[in-house]
């Protein structure tokens, strides 16, 4: 079946096959088979690939259970990760001599490609093992053990890896829970991510699975954990979802902590991170809702996306001067931060990096497009160096507009409606007040007539800004209102009276200061 109507082709790449399977011929001129193009096409029995094709993407023929034969033309240079994974009836594969790379797990799960000893080996890469031996010696022809090659092999007890093996892929022996001994002859053999994750038999007495200085997994049950000295790297998700963990101490030999390493450790209260750590992955402490304080290492260069998102008990953070970038929602999810110091070294702050609802002391950087949102009162406080702006929103689309302006560096253009349409625009009163405050603090394009209308609006409803300040914890709302010197005597007296009666000590103190 080769009718062109069954193929979605974009700029020479076959991105999707829409036909019914059987014998399929890819049209001439296609240069690449895209990611997942034939994935789960279980009725595909044969595929003819033209010699115009140079690449086969990740998962391109994933779980094509009826595919029995594949002949790749000499033009193909790359085969992506898991390109033919779980093609369980694939019995014959012709790989071109000029092939330059084969991705992890490309032929994993292809049982009928296994040799008499159960090994699936192509081009010196061991993709899978279907034997039943408890003691495995890797064949001499193998140069690379591909990702997931022995994944979930519960029969495996020991593995002997000869010196010719250069690399052991991600998850290669993951969850081989009965694996007790592993011999790797070549000390230069590189070890992939979580190669021994879940290997209970390799854990030490305290539950640490460590190989060549890399903490692959933690299978202990302790609440107070001290990671052994000598560990240089903590893999992704090692402690993720560990509900027993309350405290962790990381030794000064560690230089990197993987993504989600402590994600959702809901009872983790303290974490000691040494200055030796130079990199921490995304979501590293996400949803650690009892984490009260964190000291970031002095050599850290970036705080990745959602690193401390939903850390609801986190009250303070000091960002070291080595940090140049703070990712999206790094401290999002209503962290209870009362003090944030941003050094001048920071040149990028991602969207909603500081989504907070308690008072914040901002140490302003000269190049920061940053913002915090207070959804109940419908406004955002944006900072860019010494310049500050308030922006009102009344719906999700308005908030998305703010996000877009911040992301694209045009934040000072937002909310022009309140300039062009005046203070009686359709926004609700709280939003109009915030908009008026922002416009008067930065009176770009305001005519004298419109400026007078904003002043009138604030005098009429100024008292409403006090509960807004209380709810959001943003005392700057009040400070900036009084800095404008636009309130008449009667309004000023009424606002100060409300301030003095506030249950917030910080806001009540403003009655004598503004």
């Amino acid at each position: 079946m080769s009718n062109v109507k069954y193929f979605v082709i974009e700029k020479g790449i076959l991105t999707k096959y829409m036909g019914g399977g059987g014998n399929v011929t890819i049209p001439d001129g296609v240069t690449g088979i895209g990611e997942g193009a034939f994935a789960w096409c279980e009725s595909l029995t044969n595929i003819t690939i033209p010699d115009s094709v140079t690449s086969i993407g990740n998962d391109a023929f994933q779980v094509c259970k009826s595919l029995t034969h594949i002949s790749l033309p000499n033009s193909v240079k790359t085969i992506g990760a898991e390109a033919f994974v779980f093609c369980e009836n694939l019995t014959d594969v012709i790989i071109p001599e000029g092939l330059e790379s084969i991705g992890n797990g490309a032929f994993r799960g292809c049982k009928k490609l296994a040799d008499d000893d159960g090994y699936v080996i192509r081009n010196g890469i061991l993709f899978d093992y279907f034997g039943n031996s408890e003691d495995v010696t890797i064949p001499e022809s193998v140069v690379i053990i591909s990702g997931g090659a022995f994944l979930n092999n519960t029969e495996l007890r020991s593995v002997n890896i000869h010196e010719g093996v250069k690399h052991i892929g991600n998850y290669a022996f993951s969850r081989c829970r009965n694996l007790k001994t592993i011999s790797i002859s070549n000390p230069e053999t590189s070890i992939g991510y979580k190669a021994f994750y879940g290997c209970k038999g390799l854990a030490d007495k305290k539950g640490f699975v460590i190989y060549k200085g890399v903490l692959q997994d933690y299978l202990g049950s302790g609440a107070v954990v001290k990671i052994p000295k000598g560990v240089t790297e903590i893999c992704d998700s090692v402690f993720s979802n560990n509900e027993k963990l309350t405290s962790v101490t990381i030794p000064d030999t560690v230089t990197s902590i993987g993504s989600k390493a402590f994600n959702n450790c809901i009872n983790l209260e303290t974490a000691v991170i040494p200055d030796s750590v130079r990199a921490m992955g995304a979501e590293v402490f996400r949803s650690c809702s009892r984490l009260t304080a964190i000291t970031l290492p002095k050599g850290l260069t970036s705080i990745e996306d959602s690193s401390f998102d939903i850390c609801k008990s986190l009250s303070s953070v000091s960002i070291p001067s080595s940090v140049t970038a703070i990712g999206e929602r790094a401290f999002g999810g209503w962290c209870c931060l009362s003090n944030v110091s941003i050094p001048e070294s920071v040149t990028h702050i991602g969207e909603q990096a500081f989504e907070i609802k308690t008072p914040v002391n901002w140490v302003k950087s000269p190049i920061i497009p940053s913002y915090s949102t207070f959804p109940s009162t419908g406004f955002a406080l944006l900072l860019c160096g010494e310049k500050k702006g308030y922006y009102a929103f009344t719906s999700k689309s308005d908030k998305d507009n703010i996000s877009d302006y911040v992301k694209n560096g045009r934040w000072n253009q937002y909310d022009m409606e309140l300039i062009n349409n005046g203070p009686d625009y359709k926004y609700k009163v709280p939003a109009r007040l915030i908009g008026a405050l922002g416009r008067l603090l930065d009176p770009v394009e305001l005519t004298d007539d419109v400026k007078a209308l904003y002043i009138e609006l604030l005098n009429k409803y100024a008292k409403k800004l006090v509960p807004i300040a209380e709810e959001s914890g943003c005392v700057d709302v009040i400070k900036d209102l009084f800095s404008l010197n636009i309130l008449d005597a009667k309004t000023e007296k009424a606002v100060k009276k409300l301030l003095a009666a506030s249950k917030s000590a910080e806001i009540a103190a403003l009655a004598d200061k503004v």
Side-chain angles (χ1 to χ4, degrees):
M1 184 180 293
S2 58
N3 196 319
V4 175
K5 73 178 183 180
Y6 295 116
F7 301 98
V8 178
I9 301 172
E10 300 175 358
K11 296 181 178 180
I13 306 298
L14 196 167
T15 60
K16 187 65 179 177
Y17 170 67
M18 309 292 287
N23 296 322
V24 174
T25 299
I26 293 175
D28 289 334
V30 169
T31 58
I33 300 173
E35 183 173 336
F38 291 86
W40 291 88
C41 184
E42 296 186 25
S43 56
L44 179 69
T45 55
N46 186 66
I47 185 80
T48 300
I49 301 173
D51 58 12
S52 56
V53 172
T54 61
S55 65
I56 297 174
N58 298 344
D59 307 313
F61 295 92
Q62 171 183 259
V63 199
C64 290
K65 293 183 177 181
S66 299
L67 186 63
T68 59
H69 170 81
I70 187 80
S71 178
L72 302 178
N74 289 330
S75 57
V76 173
K77 301 299 180 185
T78 62
I79 299 174
E82 301 193 345
F84 298 92
V85 69
F86 295 119
C87 291
E88 57 188 32
N89 286 301
L90 191 61
T91 58
D92 184 28
V93 175
I94 298 175
I95 296 177
E97 293 182 2
L99 189 70
E100 296 173 357
S101 66
I102 306 179
N104 261 333
F107 296 100
R108 185 164 64 86
C110 298
K111 187 173 184 177
K112 292 188 177 180
L113 291 179
D115 60 22
D116 292 341
D117 294 317
Y119 296 103
V120 178
I121 302 172
R122 290 295 184 278
N123 284 36
I125 302 173
L126 172 58
F127 289 102
D128 211 337
Y129 174 68
F130 290 96
N132 55 13
S133 176
E134 294 182 357
D135 306 305
V136 167
T137 297
I138 302 299
E140 290 295 323
S141 61
V142 173
V143 177
I144 294 172
I145 299 175
S146 186
F150 292 86
L151 180 69
N152 292 320
N153 189 322
T154 57
E155 301 296 321
L156 199 60
R157 298 294 190 275
S158 70
V159 177
N160 182 28
I161 300 174
H162 61 83
E163 63 181 4
V165 173
K166 296 179 180 179
H167 178 67
I168 298 172
N170 300 344
Y171 294 99
F173 296 92
S174 181
R175 299 193 184 95
C176 294
R177 63 173 182 265
N178 293 311
L179 179 62
K180 295 182 183 296
T181 60
I182 184 161
S183 172
I184 302 176
S185 300
N186 187 348
E188 300 300 318
T189 299
S190 59
I191 311 294
Y193 160 72
K194 287 199 168 183
F196 305 107
Y197 178 76
C199 294
K200 188 175 181 179
L202 295 178
D204 62 20
K205 292 180 180 180
K206 293 185 177 180
F208 295 103
V209 179
I210 302 168
Y211 192 82
K212 295 181 73 172
V214 178
L215 178 56
Q216 300 268 342
D217 202 358
Y218 174 68
L219 301 170
S221 58
V224 178
V225 172
K226 291 185 178 181
I227 295 173
K229 196 171 182 64
V231 169
T232 58
E233 178 184 345
I234 300 173
C235 273
D236 295 3
S237 306
V238 167
F239 294 91
S240 184
N241 299 309
N242 187 325
E243 296 184 7
K244 293 182 179 180
L245 190 65
T246 60
S247 173
V248 62
T249 300
I250 300 169
D252 59 9
T253 52
V254 172
T255 59
S256 68
I257 302 174
S259 299
K260 298 185 179 181
F262 299 93
N263 176 61
N264 203 37
C265 291
I266 58 175
N267 291 307
L268 181 64
E269 297 177 358
T270 60
V272 178
I273 306 175
D275 288 336
S276 58
V277 173
R278 293 292 184 268
M280 297 195 303
E283 301 183 42
V284 61
F285 287 95
R286 188 177 188 270
S287 295
C288 292
S289 54
R290 292 193 178 183
L291 188 65
T292 56
I294 193 80
T295 300
L296 297 176
K298 293 178 181 178
L300 192 67
T301 57
S302 66
I303 301 172
E304 301 298 329
D305 293 351
S306 299
S307 288
F308 299 93
D309 190 26
I310 322 179
C311 289
K312 297 180 179 180
S313 299
L314 192 61
S315 58
S316 67
V317 63
S318 178
I319 298 171
S321 59
S322 54
V323 171
T324 59
I326 300 173
E328 294 183 7
R329 295 188 64 84
F331 296 90
W334 308 115
C335 290
C336 292
L337 295 173
S338 59
N339 185 36
V340 178
S341 297
I342 304 176
E344 293 186 3
S345 59
V346 175
T347 58
H348 171 76
I349 294 184
E351 193 169 310
Q352 294 183 329
F354 296 94
E355 189 180 25
I356 53 183
K357 62 178 180 180
T358 53
V360 172
N361 298 320
W362 296 91
V363 177
K364 302 180 185 68
S365 166
I367 324 176
I368 303 176
S370 173
Y371 76 104
S372 303
T373 59
F374 305 91
S376 298
T377 51
F379 76 93
L381 167 63
L382 284 73
L383 307 173
C384 190
E386 294 300 319
K387 190 175 181 181
K388 173 167 52 179
Y390 293 94
Y391 298 85
F393 62 87
T394 58
S395 67
K396 183 181 183 298
S397 61
D398 287 336
K399 185 175 179 180
D400 289 343
N401 284 338
I402 296 178
S403 300
D404 177 65
Y405 280 116
V406 171
K407 190 173 183 179
N408 291 292
R410 299 179 289 118
W411 63 274
N412 60 325
Q413 297 178 29
Y414 181 69
D415 213 7
M416 293 296 285
E417 288 178 335
L418 284 173
I419 294 174
N420 298 330
N421 297 303
D424 292 327
Y425 192 59
K426 62 184 180 181
Y427 282 21
K428 294 178 182 179
V429 170
R432 286 160 57 201
L433 288 173
I434 294 298
L437 187 60
R439 300 290 69 77
L440 291 173
L441 286 167
D442 185 22
V444 179
E445 299 184 22
L446 280 184
T447 65
D448 289 342
D449 290 342
V450 174
K451 184 176 180 180
L453 290 173
Y454 280 125
I455 292 172
E456 181 182 344
L457 176 71
L458 281 169
N459 272 280
K460 184 176 180 179
Y461 295 110
K463 291 190 293 184
K464 291 183 178 292
L465 288 174
V466 177
I468 288 175
E470 290 175 327
E471 180 183 1
S472 67
C474 186
V475 297
D476 281 355
V477 169
I478 303 300
K479 291 179 180 179
D480 290 331
L481 171 66
F482 277 87
S483 74
L484 293 170
N485 294 315
I486 50 106
L487 299 182
D488 58 45
K490 182 179 178 180
T491 302
E492 182 175 333
K493 182 178 179 181
V495 172
K496 286 187 175 181
K497 184 177 180 180
L498 284 176
L499 292 174
S502 176
K503 293 182 180 180
S504 166
E506 188 173 13
I507 291 177
L510 292 176
D512 297 323
K513 294 179 180 179
V514 294

